[in-house]
Every structure is written in C-alpha cells, then in structure tokens.
Amino acid sequence: MRETTAERWARRIVLSLLTLFVVTPLYVMVSSALKPLRDVQGAFTWIPSRPTIQPFLDMWRTVPLGRYMLNSLMVASIAAIVSVVVAIFAAFAVSRYRFRGRQLFSVTVLSTQMFPGILFLLPLFLIYVNLGNVTGIELYATRLGLIITYLTFSLPFSIWMLVGYFDSIPRGLDEAAQVDGAGPMRTLFRVILPTAVPGIVAVTVYAFMTAWGEVLFASVMTDENSRTLAVGLQGYATQYNVFWNQAMAASVVVSIPVVVGFLALQRYFVAGLTAGAVK
C-alpha cells in the first residue's frame, strides 16, 4: 500500500515528538553535568553560561565511584554469563526433547515473570542472613549474593527467550548432524549455537542491562564495599547538599558502557528478539 501525504506527515510528526521526548532529558543531563553547582541550583538555562568539566573530576572524589563501577561490572557480567550458559542447556533440552515434566517446567519458568521483584526481596534477605549464621557462607552484602539474586529473575526469562529461538531453528539441522554421527552435545555446539548467535546476544544484553541498572535488590543486599552504581549514585545527595552536576556527570559516565554495548550489538539484539518472539 502506498503511503499518502497525510500519513507521511503524521509519521514524521509522531517520530519527531518521540525523538524530542527521548533527547530532551539526555540533553538536560549532559548540560547540567557541564555547569557549576551554583548554576544548576539556580534558574534553569538550556545552554551552560560557564561550561566546565570540573564535575567530571570531582565526582570520583565525592563518592568511591570507581569501586561502585567495578562492582556493577563484575556482578552484571558474571550474572549475564551464568544466565546465558545455564539457559542454553535448559532451552536446548526443552526445545529438542520430550520428557516428563517438560510442560510443567516451561509453565513454571514463564510464571516467575508474573510476580513483582519485591515479593522475593524479604525471603532472599532472610535466607542469606540465616545461611550466613548457620553455615558461615556469607551471601548478604557480597557480590556473590547479589549475582545469585539477579539470577533468580534473569535466568527464567533467558530460558524462555532461548526456547522460543531454538524452536525457530529447523530440526532438519539436528537430523543432518545426527546422520553424520554427532551426539547431542556436538549438535548443540557445532550446529545450534552458531545459528542461534543473535538470540544468545539478545539474552546476554538483556541480562547485563537488567543487573547493571537494578536498584531494589542492590539497595538492600549490599553494603559500602559491595554497593553497585545504581545505588552508589545516591551518595551525591548528602544531608546538607545535593551535588546535582556531579550526579549528572556520573550518570553520563555510567551510561556509556551500556550505550556502546547496545549500539555495537544492536543488529544481533533486534534479530534475536524478533526471531524469539515468533516461531
């Protein structure tokens, strides 16, 4: 169907408004990061009258941003890698084999996405504290405990996504590999995984971004040493003052890894989500 002139202009107007809606907060964040604190606390101006990069230097001294960034990077990366590795084997089994309890397992995995995260906050907190008191295994206020916490909601979604993607891969590839003498593991690593790269990348990006920006669990399950960026940014608000320019500068810096990674993997991310959504 040919697009009419009215439809074309309507599309342009809608896209322009959406772009303005997205770009405006980003511009305010960047411009505020280039202003002295007095200018940020005063009347708002779209263009900084005295641009400065001092907030980008001071933000490292006001709070231990480097430690928070390292914690977030380690927790998000390990959680994403573990989620993908476990999800690959689980999704392969659910997609390619018929076994007792398969349907129950699939429904259980999907049903975990129906519950809000705050529902698991208190039980996990009590489990971690009691486990540390009884066995001496410290999970509360540690990176390991936070990684396990993030796996509770990133792993089910990863399995569900990869099952849909593996189902879209023709079973004829498996049969051809079996004719050549390949076993299940060889079929998975030599045939399925190379074909499923877009889906695996999409799941990895989702798991990483979920852990990178999570606030609820990180605010309860961490202390000063294990705190992540999402919670650490609150340190720019003290009892007597709020360093808005440094908070905006830190927000710009911590957004760079996610933005760069998403742009670099955008092609795989979109393809993986699309293929996993429709069989």
Side-chain angles (χ1 to χ4, degrees):
M1 298 178 62
R2 285 188 64 182
E3 187 179 37
T4 63
T5 303
E7 291 174 342
R8 186 183 307 113
W9 278 104
R11 175 172 54 84
R12 292 175 179 174
I13 292 174
V14 171
L15 292 178
S16 299
L17 292 176
L18 291 176
T19 302
L20 186 64
F21 180 77
V22 173
V23 172
T24 300
L26 297 178
Y27 175 79
V28 172
M29 180 176 66
V30 175
S31 63
S32 299
L34 297 174
K35 296 178 182 179
L37 182 59
R38 182 179 301 177
D39 292 354
V40 178
Q41 293 175 337
F44 176 76
T45 56
W46 288 98
I47 301 177
S49 58
R50 295 175 295 172
T52 177
I53 63 170
Q54 193 61 38
F56 288 91
L57 304 177
D58 295 338
M59 68 180 186
W60 302 99
R61 295 188 291 267
T62 303
V63 300
L65 191 65
R67 182 169 71 237
Y68 297 160
M69 184 174 292
L70 178 62
N71 290 337
S72 290
L73 187 61
M74 291 183 61
V75 170
S77 299
I78 295 176
I81 293 173
V82 174
S83 292
V84 171
V85 171
V86 176
I88 285 174
F89 290 101
F92 179 71
V94 173
S95 175
R96 289 302 194 260
Y97 296 97
R98 298 296 179 266
F99 52 88
R100 181 176 299 178
R102 174 180 176 273
Q103 190 66 28
L104 177 62
F105 175 78
S106 301
V107 173
T108 302
V109 168
L110 184 59
S111 63
T112 58
Q113 305 301 306
M114 301 169 54
F115 302 100
I118 195 173
L119 189 65
F120 303 99
L121 182 59
L122 183 58
L124 284 174
F125 175 79
L126 295 177
I127 291 173
Y128 288 179
V129 172
N130 292 327
L131 187 64
N133 295 333
V134 174
T135 66
I137 301 176
E138 296 295 338
L139 293 179
Y140 173 71
T142 62
R143 295 170 181 168
L144 177 60
L146 200 58
I147 291 171
I148 296 175
T149 300
Y150 290 153
L151 288 176
T152 59
F153 50 84
S154 65
L155 183 57
F157 183 84
S158 300
I159 296 175
W160 180 68
M161 282 288 298
L162 285 181
V163 167
Y165 196 90
F166 286 174
D167 285 344
S168 67
I169 299 176
R171 296 181 180 272
L173 297 178
D174 301 42
E175 297 171 356
Q178 293 172 2
V179 170
D180 292 337
M185 289 295 99
R186 187 178 178 184
T187 301
L188 173 62
F189 287 104
R190 295 293 184 87
V191 178
I192 301 299
L193 292 188
T195 309
V197 168
I200 294 173
V201 171
V203 171
T204 304
V205 172
Y206 163 80
F208 181 87
M209 293 180 63
T210 300
W212 182 265
E214 200 278 328
V215 176
L216 177 63
F217 288 93
S219 61
V220 177
M221 298 294 187
T222 60
D223 58 6
E224 182 64 26
N225 294 324
S226 60
R227 191 164 295 163
T228 58
L229 281 170
V231 181
L233 291 178
Q234 300 176 5
Y236 293 105
T238 65
Q239 183 178 357
Y240 304 101
N241 203 355
V242 179
F243 299 98
W244 289 110
N245 53 348
Q246 296 182 38
M248 295 298 101
S251 299
V252 173
V253 172
V254 302
S255 300
I256 292 176
V258 176
V259 172
V260 172
F262 182 82
L263 292 178
L265 302 173
Q266 182 181 14
R267 176 167 59 91
Y268 297 102
F269 187 70
V270 175
L273 288 179
T274 303
V278 291
K279 298 180 182 179

